[in-house]
């Protein structure tokens, strides 16, 4: 998209020539310019003074406070007592530099980012099955060419409207779309078939579909034999998931399950796409592996207009997890425990390999350790609003307040920044340059359109300044994002996500201006739009099946908490709402979180449409407006997560974690629904 200047101020125009969205933007994109000069914008550093309030300060004072406090904490408690937390909205350059900052300037192992709450389960599952994680291992335009698509846990029509055009084209060409979701969302209403599964039953659904495919001899046995390993173990497990049993586990009618399996098994080009629904669970990796099994059994992975993919949720959700801001990774998607990877990156950074820390704690484990012996004592946060986005939010808020020092770089005083000891004002998206990598693995260039306000610095400048204050200036002498990218290219060279052949010059040239797909190992390499056509980047070159079984949610229902709570996004808002809740048009469209509940459920609990309901989980309670709709399961309530404070959905969610990915169980927990006291007082007698 492009910024425009006119009598009405700064605006946004879509780029109709860009092949991914063809100039289409959602309402959040069209209104994005309004936050650039918003009155809430931070325009100077803030330091918490003796009064307990955040007060304006100079950069010199703020940087000195950060450096002296971090040094003191590390002197007393060790290098790992300071943690770093990043975000999936950071450019590739910033994500790379943040990882280097943690490991070189601070020498801490403890760095993670909010993609842990978004993409970590899918990333782990794809790496286990295919040897590498790329959200879509094919161009997004392939969606329009698929004969049948299974879309699991994604409401694309509201969360990613610009790509709905590909699903529309797919149906216009006679393709079929099956949507699995506890809610009959706008996407599910529009689909060929809706599978209304019970929250937390995704593996059972996938195994049930595969059971029918095996039973009816609809799997691709040649593909399984020639390109995969370990199918026999999976076949034995799914034998126990006959349709009648799966209906009891998932709530999906037996006939729908069988018809859907046969539709997939008889289609020519089949695509399986997952999103946060199955992934944001304590069984998120197993859920994703179960759907990968389905795609592999159909022989679709690596073929045109076919395969498995996951729909990335954040602006740089793909690139943000490739270059070192994850707890266990180095740039280029290298594992931090790989000796060769450590040697390579140490040489690029110009440091002894022994000084690069090992794997640190993932996000929620960081938060849980605050205040504990050998735990986190100070934290540097960039590009994330933990106080709203983390599960069991009241507990996380208490832990953040218990830190010896919290430093936040942001452009608004978010709920997390309001808890900080030092707040550093950073530039916004239109005020800095860099690269982003979209869900297809397409690296694209973002150019500066405006200068940041006078006393506001870019995140790269902030990281270099803090590093210099810590005495590490020699490793952080970058004057521009291009210089950071040049080092990133070297650090990623030879890794799974190899950017070494991508340059700013290539991205500026007409032929490559639409972006280059990684891996791109040389400047004369065309990039790799499609992966897995001939082999997989695994030791044997073959994909691997994984036998997984259904397990009940960690926080399951009982008599006191008889319903399931699931959370998600709205069309009008994004992530923690730090930006979108400041846009007038978006607030007018959705000014507060509203609970969705089935009318039959409301009758059982004496609740009424438009009234207020108190939701109570084993962690806390919140009171919200209630909207009744027949488009949700009777055992489930839905709550959007874009608000903070007492309106925060994540004050209620469970911090149970997937043992492999560290993903919290956002999408399912037990809840009780009661009429709110103010509603009870106002309700007319019956």
């Amino acid at each position: 998209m492009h910024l425009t200047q006119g009598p009405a101020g700064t605006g946004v125009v879509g780029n109709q020539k860009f092949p991914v969205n063809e100039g289409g933007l959602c309402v959040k994109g069209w209104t994005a310019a309004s936050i650039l000069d918003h009155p809430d914008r931070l325009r100077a550093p803030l330091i918490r003074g003796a009064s307990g309030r955040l007060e304006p300060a100079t950069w010199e004072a703020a940087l000195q406070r950060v450096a002296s406090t971090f040094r003191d904490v590390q002197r007393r408690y060790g290098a790992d007592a300071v943690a770093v937390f990043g975000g999936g909205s950071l450019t590739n350059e910033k994500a790379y530099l943040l990882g280097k900052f943690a490991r070189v300037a601070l020498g801490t192992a403890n760095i993670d980012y909010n993609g842990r709450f978004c993409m970590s389960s899918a990333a782990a599952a794809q790496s286990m099955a295919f040897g590498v994680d790329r959200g879509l291992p094919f161009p997004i335009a392939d969606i329009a060419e698929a004969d049948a698509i299974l879309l699991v846990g994604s409401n694309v029509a509201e969360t990613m409207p610009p790509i709905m055009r590909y699903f529309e084209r797919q149906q216009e060409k006679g393709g079929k779309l099956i949507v699995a979701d506890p809610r009959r969302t706008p996407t599910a209403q529009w689909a060929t078939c809706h599978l209304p599964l019970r929250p937390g039953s995704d593996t059972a659904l996938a195994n049930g579909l595969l059971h029918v495919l095996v039973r009816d001899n609809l799997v691709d046995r040649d593909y399984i034999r020639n390109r995969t390993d370990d199918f026999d173990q999976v076949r034995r497990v799914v034998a126990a998931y006959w349709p009648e049993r799966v209906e009891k586990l998932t709530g999906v009618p037996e006939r729908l399950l069988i018809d859907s399996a046969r539709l997939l098994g008889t289609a020519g080009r089949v695509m399986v796409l997952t999103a946060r629904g199955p992934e944001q669970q304590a069984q998120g990796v197993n859920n994703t592996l179960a759907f990968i099994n389905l795609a592999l059994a159909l022989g679709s992975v690596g073929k045109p207009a076919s395969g498995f993919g996951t729909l990335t949720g954040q602006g740089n959700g793909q690139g943000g997890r490739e270059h070192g801001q994850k707890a266990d990774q180095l740039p280029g998607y290298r594992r931090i425990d790989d000796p060769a990877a450590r040697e390579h990156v140490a040489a690029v950074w110009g440091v002894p390999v022994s000084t690069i820390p090992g794997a640190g704690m993932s996000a929620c484990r960081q938060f849980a350790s605050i205040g504990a012996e050998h735990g986190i004592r100070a934290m540097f946060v960039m590009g994330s609003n933990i106080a709203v986005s983390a599960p069991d939010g009241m507990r996380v808020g208490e832990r953040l307040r218990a830190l010896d020092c919290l430093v936040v770089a942001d452009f608004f005083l978010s709920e997390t920044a309001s808890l900080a000891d030092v707040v550093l004002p950073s530039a916004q998206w239109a005020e800095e340059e860099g690269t982003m990598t979209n869900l297809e693995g397409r690296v694209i260039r973002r150019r500066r359109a405006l200068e940041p306000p006078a006393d506001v610095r870019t995140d790269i400048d902030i990281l270099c300044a803090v590093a210099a204050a810590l005495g590490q200036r020699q490793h952080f002498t970058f004057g521009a994002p291009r210089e950071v990218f040049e080092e990133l290219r070297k650090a990623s060279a030879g890794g799974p996500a190899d950017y070494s052949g991508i340059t700013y010059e290539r991205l500026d040239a007409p032929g490559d201006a639409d972006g280059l797909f990684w891996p791109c190992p040389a400047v004369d390499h065309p990039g790799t739009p499609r992966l897995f056509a001939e082999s997989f980047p695994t030791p044997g070159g073959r994909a691997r099946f994984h036998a997984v079984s259904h397990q009940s949610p960690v926080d399951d229902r009982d008599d006191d908490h008889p319903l399931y709570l699931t959370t998600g996004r709205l069309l009008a808002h994004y992530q923690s709402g730090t930006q979108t809740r400041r846009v007038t048009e978006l607030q007018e469209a959705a000014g507060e979180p509203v609970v969705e509940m089935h009318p039959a459920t409301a009758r059982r609990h004496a609740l009424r449409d438009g009234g207020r309901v108190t939701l109570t989980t084993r962690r806390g309670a919140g009171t919200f407006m209630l909207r009744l709709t027949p488009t949700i399961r009777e055992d489930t309530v839905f709550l959007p997560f874009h608000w903070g404070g007492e309106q925060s959905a994540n004050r209620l969610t469970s911090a149970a974690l997937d043992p492999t990915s560290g993903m919290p169980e956002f999408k399912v927990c037990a809840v009780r629904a009661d009429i709110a006291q103010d509603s009870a007082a106002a309700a007319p007698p019956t």
Side-chain angles (χ1 to χ4, degrees):
M1 63 185 184
H2 304 289
L3 281 184
T4 62
Q5 298 287 345
T10 304
V12 172
V13 175
N15 178 6
Q16 295 182 353
K17 296 181 180 180
F18 190 63
V20 178
N21 67 334
E22 300 172 336
L25 299 173
C26 71
V27 64
K28 297 181 286 293
W30 291 120
T31 58
S34 65
I35 64 170
L36 293 172
D37 58 356
H38 195 279
D40 289 351
R41 183 78 187 270
L42 294 173
R43 297 178 182 274
L46 303 174
I47 294 178
R48 195 169 299 280
S51 66
R53 294 190 297 271
L54 287 169
E55 300 170 351
T58 65
W59 274 99
E60 181 181 7
L63 294 169
Q64 177 58 36
R65 173 78 168 268
V66 173
S68 62
T69 306
F70 283 1
R71 281 197 297 261
D72 183 60
V73 166
Q74 291 186 311
R75 177 182 56 80
R76 288 187 291 156
Y77 304 107
D80 292 343
V82 177
V84 175
F85 200 84
S89 63
L90 301 181
T91 63
N92 293 319
E93 291 81 356
K94 293 192 289 185
Y96 167 80
L97 197 60
L98 192 67
K100 180 180 179 181
F101 171 82
R103 287 148 181 146
V104 175
L106 288 171
T108 180
N110 288 319
I111 175 172
D112 211 40
Y113 81 127
N114 62 16
R116 183 67 61 181
F117 305 150
C118 183
M119 299 306 304
S120 59
S121 290
Q126 290 193 88
S127 295
M128 293 165 66
F130 305 141
V132 70
D133 156 48
R134 199 172 86 184
L136 296 183
F138 45 77
I140 199 168
D142 275 18
I143 290 172
E145 307 301 322
D147 296 313
I149 299 174
L150 173 62
L151 177 64
V152 188
S154 176
N155 181 16
V156 178
E158 291 192 293
T159 61
M160 304 179 79
I163 74 165
M164 269 303 290
R165 68 190 66 215
Y166 296 107
F167 292 94
E168 292 168 358
R169 291 170 187 168
Q170 186 246 0
Q171 288 201 332
E172 289 168 359
K173 295 178 180 180
K176 306 299 182 184
L177 174 64
I178 303 167
V179 172
D181 198 301
R183 305 160 62 216
R184 188 155 51 89
T185 63
T187 307
Q189 293 174 35
W190 184 83
T192 310
C193 178
H194 173 220
L195 306 180
L197 78 166
R198 180 175 295 118
S201 65
D202 301 84
T203 292
L205 175 65
N207 284 355
L209 291 168
L210 187 50
H211 174 100
V212 176
L213 290 170
V214 173
R215 183 195 70 183
D216 294 355
N217 198 29
L218 294 174
V219 298
D220 189 334
R221 297 193 180 276
D222 287 340
Y223 181 96
I224 292 170
R225 181 174 56 255
N226 296 328
R227 299 207 57 190
T228 71
D229 290 324
D230 300 332
F231 176 68
D232 285 344
Q233 294 95 311
V234 171
R235 181 177 50 79
R236 285 193 289 269
V237 168
V238 302
Y241 288 83
W242 55 90
E244 183 180 9
R245 181 188 178 213
V246 172
E247 178 175 345
K248 293 177 181 178
L249 290 172
T250 67
V252 175
E254 181 178 347
R255 176 46 52 192
L256 272 182
L257 182 82
I258 294 171
D259 289 348
S260 296
R262 289 174 176 169
L263 190 158
L264 295 170
T266 57
R269 295 168 296 189
V270 181
M271 195 173 285
V272 178
L273 302 174
T274 64
R276 305 302 80 73
E279 296 163 14
Q280 286 182 319
Q281 298 182 34
Q283 297 299 317
V285 174
N286 282 353
N287 290 339
T288 310
L289 287 170
F291 286 108
I292 289 175
N293 288 342
L294 197 61
L296 288 173
L298 289 165
S300 65
V301 180
K303 297 180 180 179
S306 308
F308 175 85
T310 183
L311 301 178
T312 304
Q314 297 194 67
N316 198 29
Q318 181 65 53
R321 64 185 189 266
E322 295 170 358
H323 296 300
Q325 64 170 338
K326 284 183 72 174
D328 58 352
Q329 287 185 347
L330 290 171
Y333 249 150
R334 288 181 161 91
R335 290 185 57 89
I336 202 167
D337 59 0
D338 177 359
R342 294 172 61 84
E343 290 280 358
H344 175 86
V345 174
V348 173
W349 286 350
V351 299
V353 68
S354 61
T355 65
I356 298 179
M361 292 184 283
S362 61
C364 288
R365 294 185 175 96
Q366 283 190 16
F367 308 149
S369 80
I370 295 173
E373 187 176 4
H374 307 301
I376 304 299
R377 306 295 300 228
M379 183 173 284
F380 182 92
V381 178
M382 177 172 279
S384 187
N385 188 7
I386 299 167
V388 175
S389 62
D392 194 6
M394 286 191 288
R395 173 68 173 168
V396 169
E398 292 171 358
R399 296 294 81 211
L400 292 176
R401 292 183 184 90
L403 287 166
D404 291 7
C405 182
L406 174 61
V407 179
V408 176
D410 210 330
F411 34 82
F412 291 121
L413 195 67
S414 67
E415 285 81 0
T416 304
S418 69
L419 301 176
D421 299 285
V422 181
V423 181
L424 305 175
S426 57
Q428 292 196 52
W429 57 274
E431 300 164 350
E432 59 182 5
E433 294 195 349
T435 59
M436 311 280 278
T437 305
N438 77 348
L439 74 170
E440 315 160 289
R442 183 195 301 259
V443 183
I444 57 178
R445 183 106 138 76
R446 190 172 77 185
R447 295 165 180 81
R448 173 181 283 183
L450 302 170
E451 292 292 326
D455 211 22
V456 170
R457 300 187 182 183
T458 69
D459 289 331
I460 288 177
D461 290 339
I462 290 172
L463 289 172
C464 290
V466 176
L470 289 165
Q472 294 291 329
R473 183 188 303 274
Q474 70 274 23
H475 297 296
F476 295 86
T477 58
F478 305 101
R482 181 187 297 262
E483 297 173 14
V484 179
F485 191 79
E486 286 301 305
E487 187 172 290
L488 180 157
R489 291 177 59 217
K490 297 174 185 176
S492 72
D498 190 335
Y499 281 39
S500 60
I502 303 173
T503 66
Y504 274 34
E505 288 75 18
R506 288 191 70 181
L507 296 177
D508 286 341
D512 295 322
D514 291 334
L516 288 162
F517 293 82
W518 66 258
C520 185
V523 292
D524 58 353
H525 191 281
T528 314
R530 287 185 175 84
L531 302 177
F532 316 141
E534 298 179 359
S535 66
F536 295 89
T538 60
R542 298 162 67 89
R544 183 182 176 193
F545 281 92
H546 289 79
V548 292
S549 298
H550 165 73
Q551 297 184 36
S552 298
V554 174
D555 187 26
D556 210 350
R557 298 181 299 169
D558 58 18
D559 291 341
D560 290 331
H561 302 87
L563 301 171
Y564 288 120
L565 170 66
T566 191
T567 66
R569 287 167 52 186
L570 300 178
L571 173 64
H573 289 288
Y574 185 67
Q575 302 300 81
S576 70
T578 301
Q579 298 174 64
T580 56
R581 283 186 275 124
R582 289 176 164 85
V583 178
T584 301
E585 298 94 324
L586 303 181
Q587 275 295 89
E588 289 175 349
E592 65 175 305
V594 176
V595 173
E596 291 184 10
M597 178 183 288
H598 195 281
T601 309
R603 286 193 294 271
R604 290 195 297 271
H605 293 270
L607 299 166
R608 59 185 177 85
D609 191 34
R612 298 188 72 77
V613 58
T614 297
L615 299 182
T616 304
T617 69
R618 296 180 176 100
R619 289 151 299 282
T623 298
F624 309 93
M625 187 71 71
L626 178 64
R627 178 186 299 131
L628 303 186
T629 174
T631 62
I632 191 168
R633 291 177 54 92
E634 291 186 28
D635 59 4
T636 303
V637 295
F638 170 81
L639 182 63
F641 56 60
H642 307 294
W643 284 265
E646 295 184 357
Q647 294 184 312
S648 174
N650 282 324
R651 289 161 63 97
L652 309 179
T653 52
S654 169
L657 302 180
D658 184 289
T660 300
S661 67
M663 170 71 79
E665 194 152 59
F666 290 112
K667 283 296 185 282
V668 52
C669 67
V671 67
R672 184 175 74 247
D674 301 298
I675 188 168
Q677 291 304 307
D678 56 348
S679 293
T686 58

